[in-house]
Amino acid sequence: MSLTLYYYPDNASLAPHICLRKAGVDFTLSLVERNRGGLTDPAYLALNPHARIPTLAVGDPDRGGFVIRESAAICHYIAETYPESGLLPALGTVERARTLDWLYFATNTIQADLMVSAYARRYGETSEQIAAVKARAADRVGGHLAIVNRELEKTGDWLVGDRPTCADYFLFMLAGWAEQFKIPDPPSIRPHLLAHARRCQALPEVIDTFAAEGINFFIS
Ligand SMILES: N[C@@H](CCC(=O)N[C@@H](CS)C(=O)NCC(=O)O)C(=O)O
């Protein structure tokens, strides 16, 4: 079945995009013009009523295909569908369980607080409230990244095993946002996270993804 990734540069579509390139499959990239009404476009809302980026369409959703609308779920789906990609360790292994544990920590904890910080205006009314929400959430992200930094100190190059998995790509995406959002304790002050980001930036699938999206690496 055909695969179409609806994306916007450096949005939550980034990790799924890297996974597709790592899997080496044919796919179509479709830009959601989020600054020009793309998220209120009825055609896009029909695919993704959550009005969020990304969406992965598998086949034609009107003709027996389906969509996946959560970035971590898309990464998980690609990994399961193309096991030879190594995006996840083998089914039933401890390594796979640990990789999924990090993938879901990344989306459910780090990403969740990053989103609160980025969209703080949705969580407060006055400018003081909004600033307080933004700062508190950013602090929490710093704490979550400290946990990952400690883990990478133990595990070495990658979160689990001796090759990058979808959890590494997801973490890399979030580290990029955290750096760009200028949280108080950014990834670049965490040596193991910084080295991890540099390792990710050197991977061909990551280089190709950034080139295709027209974005720059966040760590020099
Ligand atoms: N949990 C979702 C969150 C997706 C999300 O919030 N994407 C952002 C772009 S990075 C978005 O579409 N924001 C638009 C909005 O919140 O109005 C996922 O990871 O796929």
Side-chain angles (χ1 to χ4, degrees), residues 11-12 34 39 51-54 69-71 107 111 115 119 122 177:
N11 274 211
R34 63 173 292 181
L39 287 173
R52 296 283 187 281
I53 297 165
R69 297 166 296 208
E70 282 292 326
S71 50
T107 189
Q111 186 185 8
M115 292 296 96
Y119 294 102
R122 294 176 178 167
W177 297 350

Side-chain angles (χ1 to χ4, degrees), residues 84-187:
E84 64 289 349
S85 65
L87 285 163
L88 277 175
L91 195 61
T93 58
V94 173
E95 288 74 21
R96 190 183 184 98
R98 289 179 49 223
T99 304
L100 291 173
D101 192 41
W102 284 113
L103 176 65
Y104 288 96
F105 177 75
T107 189
N108 196 38
T109 301
I110 309 176
Q111 186 185 8
D113 279 329
L114 268 168
M115 292 296 96
V116 174
S117 183
Y119 294 102
R121 63 183 183 280
R122 294 176 178 167
Y123 299 87
E125 303 214 335
T126 65
S127 50
E128 289 78 16
Q129 284 171 345
I130 293 168
V133 168
K134 192 175 189 65
R136 187 78 192 101
D139 275 352
R140 288 177 56 79
V141 171
H144 305 324
L145 293 176
I147 291 173
V148 182
N149 186 63
R150 280 198 295 275
E151 181 68 12
L152 286 167
E153 183 176 12
K154 282 188 277 169
T155 60
D157 288 356
W158 308 110
L159 280 168
V160 180
D162 57 5
R163 54 195 288 193
T165 65
C166 58
D168 291 289
Y169 300 141
F170 210 95
L171 171 64
F172 174 64
M173 173 179 79
L174 301 183
W177 297 350
E179 197 69 28
Q180 295 170 70
F181 294 171
K182 299 191 187 316
I183 67 164
D185 292 323

Side-chain angles (χ1 to χ4, degrees), residues 1-6 20 25-29 56-61 63-67 77 81-82:
M1 281 214 269
S2 65
L3 295 170
T4 303
L5 180 67
Y6 294 83
L20 284 168
V25 292
D26 284 339
F27 64 97
T28 302
L29 271 182
L56 181 72
V58 183
D60 180 347
R63 293 186 176 74
F66 60 94
V67 293
Y77 171 80
T81 309
Y82 306 100

